[in-house]
Amino acid sequence: MAHTNLGTEAEQIQHTTPASLESQNTKLLMLGALGVVYGDIGTSPIYAFREALVASSGGGSVATEESVYGVLSLIIWALTLIVTIKYVIFVLRAGNKGEGGTLSLMALARTALRKRSKLILGAGIVGASLFFGDSLITPAISVLSAVEGMEVVTPTFNPYVVPLTLVILAVLFAVQRLGTGRVASVFGPIMLIWFAFIGLSGLRHIVDAPSVLLALNPTYIVYLLSDSPGVAFVTVGAIFLAVTGAEALYADLGHFGRRPIVLAWLAIVFPCLLLNYFGQGAYVLSIGGKVGRPFFEMNEGWALLPMVLLATVATVIASQAVISGAYSLTRQAVQLNLLPRLTILHTSETQLGQIYMPRVNFLLAVGVMLLVVGFQQSSNLASAYGISVTGNMVVTTALMFVVMRHLWKWPRSAVIGLTLLFGVVDLGFFAANIVKVREGGWVSLVVAAIVIIVMWTWVRGTRLLFDKTRKNEVPLDFLAENLGKKPPQIVPGTAVFLTSDPTSTPTALMHSLKHYKVLHENNVILSVVTASEPYVPPSERVRMERLNDLFMRVSLTFGYMEHPNIPKALAICRKLGWKFDIMDTSFFLSRRSLKPSPNSGMPGWQDRLFIGLARTASDATEYFQIPTGRVVEIGTQVTV
């Protein structure tokens, strides 16, 4: 879910300019989608056809004519069924107020089927965890495969492939703090050139063996799968490399809109990909079935070096998209309380979606570089790639079933039929990839397992902590009534007490009364709520309830794609009758010091992990954008 000024600014213009400019704006959005949405799937021809051909040949270096036809037919129909039919026609319709992505779809499904809320939450966590695995593997395999193209230029370059890849990745992660907006304006044009090059490159070689167009016939898939089932199973797993990146169509829905994404796919990306794959097949047939690096080899001569350089730039752009997507997904997870608060830096003054998360960037950089050093070649990483993507697509199909049946109210027969069609394809690809655990697929599973454990621990720990602290808290209505009848010493000003439970007295308020024996003339019990929608309009931001002359209860609601800004939101209260003045207000926060307990309700290791996660959470003052000079923190010790 990469965010770019190119896309979002154009989308804003689309809503504010006359209808005569709609076509121009759509073209601009299509250009932005090329640079962000289609970076991953657009660079798949570099390695997908080669890996599938090697697999179909049983690891050999020469492929038969039937293998070439079968592999091409599988790629063509995989792109058609998974990308064009599943994502373009159906999944892109499931926008959560314009936003897409695994967690966005999960939030949509939870509103449609509240009785299975926990089950849907679990599915969302699994899908998000698999996406994080994809975020690690995509930059590694993409940049590594592009740099390997230099070996075609000169074999003596082989010792420098890994070092150069590490340098490119280091630069890529180092510039993340600048924000994608500064480089977004060149992403689209570069990817447009890329698709034009790979399309023309393929078209030029189709004439070498026009019979390659016979691969349009799906019967070649049957021949390939039935000829040698064992080899065919591995081939299917390799074929899936051609559709990795399809999930980006839905993830970036909110930044470009459905129409530009669909038009870019049908008018540019899909035709150019098909031409290139057909061209690679024709080239391999014309040289007797020899399997090398057909993507680069069929551009020998003056076009080879420019293609290698362009491929390197394109893969960096593809990596940028998935890295930015990891930031967006993490922010959604934080807002949905699946992860502790993390530092979020905004890199654009006008675009909310332009964010940088230092901790996430560091973890991604370390993980990606370890993969490059550990696997050395893109072929070795290919086995690790498919599991995370296929798993994510299986989760998407399951959540789409809930949305189609329970939210859209589609007929049961149609929903079941579509789910079976997509499910069989997704599960078939997942099964073909899961067998490659030993060859590298374990990476995806390990990354996903770590993220699942972290999210599960945080959700479980916060729930247990909430239940435990709630037992010791005094009902707010009871306290307000008693203090209204017999108030302590009153001091001027306004005190805002942050709490996650607006029905109970905040710990900071109880300790303030206990130690200071005073009460402010205006006391606001403030809670922050995350909605199941990505954005909440200002009219629905604030809810106020006056308890008595001393106390008022305020609830602020933010969308899961928004970064909470409490002072700005409280300014809305002026229109509702509360004359809020930030310079006359003190914010009281409870800082809990957590201690492990043998009776926490969680295993000891999970108890310690939750405490560690809580300690790494970013400061609430910074996260809620409260002026530091107006904050009073009161510490308490809690055993969990």
Side-chain angles (χ1 to χ4, degrees):
M1 265 187 295
H3 301 251
T4 68
N5 286 335
L6 181 67
T8 46
E9 285 180 1
E11 195 168 28
Q12 289 175 350
I13 293 172
Q14 190 174 10
H15 293 296
T16 56
T17 53
S20 59
L21 295 178
E22 183 176 353
S23 176
Q24 179 181 351
N25 295 327
T26 299
K27 292 178 181 178
L28 186 62
L29 286 166
M30 287 174 62
L31 191 62
L34 288 179
V36 175
V37 179
Y38 294 111
D40 192 0
I41 198 171
T43 53
S44 294
I46 299 175
Y47 47 81
F49 182 72
R50 180 195 74 207
E51 294 299 328
L53 212 54
V54 170
S56 68
S57 305
S61 58
V62 179
T64 64
E65 186 174 343
E66 290 76 15
S67 293
V68 173
Y69 290 159
V71 166
L72 276 177
S73 192
L74 270 170
I75 290 176
I76 292 165
W77 287 103
L79 289 171
T80 302
L81 284 174
I82 294 179
V83 185
T84 307
I85 296 179
K86 177 182 175 180
Y87 278 90
V88 170
I89 296 180
F90 290 101
V91 177
L92 287 181
R93 296 178 185 272
N96 191 345
K97 290 195 174 180
E99 288 295 329
T102 303
L103 293 181
S104 185
L105 184 60
M106 179 201 75
L108 202 62
R110 291 182 80 184
T111 61
L113 193 62
R114 298 185 184 278
K115 294 181 179 179
R116 296 288 185 269
S117 181
K118 291 183 179 179
L119 183 62
I120 294 172
L121 174 64
I125 289 176
V126 171
S129 302
L130 290 167
F131 181 85
F132 280 113
D134 187 18
S135 300
L136 281 177
I137 299 169
T138 295
I141 191 173
S142 298
V143 178
L144 189 56
S145 63
V147 176
E148 285 172 348
M150 291 300 293
E151 295 179 11
V152 181
V153 179
T154 170
T156 58
F157 189 78
N158 183 60
Y160 307 103
V161 170
V162 172
L164 182 57
T165 300
L166 292 176
V167 170
I168 293 174
L169 289 170
V171 173
L172 175 64
F173 284 103
V175 300
Q176 291 301 308
R177 60 186 179 83
L178 301 177
T180 56
R182 296 193 180 184
V183 292
S185 59
V186 300
F187 280 9
I190 289 178
M191 290 308 295
L192 180 60
I193 295 172
W194 165 258
F195 283 115
F197 261 64
I198 66 173
L200 292 172
S201 174
L203 182 63
R204 184 166 63 94
H205 282 278
I206 290 177
V207 296
D208 295 341
S211 62
V212 76
L213 297 176
L214 293 173
L216 288 169
N217 188 344
T219 56
Y220 284 103
I221 298 176
V222 179
Y223 297 151
L224 180 66
L225 299 181
S226 60
D227 183 50
S228 180
V231 172
F233 196 63
V234 178
T235 305
V236 170
I239 288 292
F240 194 77
L241 294 172
V243 295
T244 54
E247 67 279 8
L249 275 71
Y250 183 49
D252 285 305
L253 178 63
H255 311 301
F256 300 99
R258 181 175 181 271
R259 179 178 171 82
I261 292 175
V262 171
L263 290 178
W265 170 256
L266 295 177
I268 300 173
V269 182
F270 194 28
C272 290
L273 288 177
L274 292 181
L275 286 174
N276 190 265
Y277 282 122
F278 275 125
Q280 289 190 53
Y283 174 76
V284 171
L285 290 175
S286 68
I287 60 173
K290 182 181 178 182
V291 182
R293 297 188 182 278
F295 179 84
F296 292 110
E297 290 172 358
M298 68 180 186
N299 292 286
E300 286 186 352
W302 68 268
L304 178 56
L305 186 57
M307 182 61 82
V308 171
L309 296 176
L310 187 58
T312 304
V313 175
T315 53
V316 170
I317 292 175
S319 302
Q320 172 65 55
V322 77
I323 292 169
S324 298
Y327 298 155
S328 299
L329 185 67
T330 303
R331 181 172 67 172
Q332 290 183 30
V334 170
Q335 288 292 79
L336 293 171
N337 202 31
L338 301 178
L339 289 173
R341 292 188 304 267
L342 297 173
T343 301
I344 300 176
L345 303 178
H346 290 263
T347 58
S348 171
E349 295 180 358
T350 58
Q351 302 300 327
L352 181 65
Q354 298 283 335
I355 60 173
Y356 168 63
M357 306 185 74
R359 196 175 303 171
V360 176
N361 189 68
F362 175 76
L363 292 175
L364 283 177
V366 172
V368 169
M369 292 185 182
L370 286 176
L371 287 180
V372 171
V373 173
F375 285 84
Q376 295 288 312
Q377 295 181 346
S378 60
S379 297
N380 299 334
L381 269 170
S383 299
Y385 202 14
I387 294 178
S388 59
V389 182
T390 52
N392 185 278
M393 289 185 174
V394 170
V395 171
T396 299
T397 298
L399 293 176
M400 278 297 298
F401 171 83
V402 176
V403 172
M404 289 188 294
R405 183 73 186 104
H406 297 280
L407 188 65
W408 297 347
K409 306 297 182 180
W410 284 10
R412 179 175 306 199
S413 57
V415 173
I416 293 176
L418 288 170
T419 303
L420 285 175
L421 173 63
F422 299 145
V424 167
V425 174
D426 292 340
L427 289 172
F429 278 118
F430 181 74
N433 279 279
I434 199 67
V435 298
K436 298 186 288 185
V437 171
R438 291 185 178 180
E439 290 81 6
W442 58 268
V443 173
S444 297
L445 297 179
V446 168
V447 173
I450 291 173
V451 177
I452 288 173
I453 290 173
V454 169
M455 288 186 174
W456 172 50
T457 298
W458 185 253
V459 170
R460 188 180 184 188
T462 51
R463 189 170 299 158
L464 289 172
L465 180 62
F466 176 80
D467 293 339
K468 188 165 188 176
T469 54
R470 190 174 185 178
K471 292 178 181 179
N472 301 323
E473 290 176 347
V474 178
L476 178 61
D477 292 338
F478 174 79
L479 181 74
E481 182 181 353
N482 281 272
L483 290 177
K485 295 177 181 178
K486 190 178 179 180
Q489 179 68 37
I490 303 297
V491 296
T494 299
V496 177
F497 297 90
L498 267 69
T499 180
S500 59
D501 181 12
T503 63
S504 300
T505 304
T507 304
L509 174 56
M510 293 300 296
H511 280 264
S512 178
L513 287 170
K514 179 180 178 181
H515 295 288
Y516 304 136
K517 314 295 184 184
V518 297
L519 193 67
H520 286 74
E521 58 183 351
N522 294 304
N523 298 275
V524 178
I525 310 303
L526 178 66
S527 59
V528 178
V529 179
T530 300
S532 58
E533 295 105 17
Y535 301 100
V536 173
S539 60
E540 301 176 13
R541 179 81 69 206
V542 179
R543 285 193 307 162
M544 295 172 53
E545 178 189 358
R546 171 67 68 176
L547 301 180
N548 55 30
D549 293 338
L550 293 174
F551 287 93
M552 182 167 57
R553 186 157 38 207
V554 176
S555 174
L556 302 180
T557 304
F558 295 91
Y560 61 78
M561 285 295 290
E562 297 178 284
H563 189 41
N565 187 321
I566 287 181
K568 185 177 180 180
L570 289 180
I572 301 174
C573 295
R574 294 192 182 98
K575 300 178 181 179
L576 303 177
W578 175 28
K579 296 181 180 179
F580 172 75
D581 183 3
I582 189 68
M583 299 309 297
D584 190 37
T585 302
S586 297
F587 292 85
F588 288 81
L589 278 65
S590 299
R591 178 178 289 275
R592 294 186 178 124
S593 176
L594 304 181
K595 302 293 182 183
S597 169
N599 301 317
S600 66
M602 295 190 296
W605 65 267
Q606 196 171 34
D607 198 14
R608 290 187 291 271
L609 175 59
F610 174 70
I611 293 173
L613 290 171
R615 289 173 178 171
T616 62
S618 63
D619 185 65
T621 303
E622 179 182 354
Y623 183 77
F624 292 116
Q625 304 184 57
I626 306 172
T628 55
R630 312 305 308 170
V631 175
V632 178
E633 291 189 346
I634 299 177
T636 58
Q637 283 195 359
V638 180
T639 57
V640 294

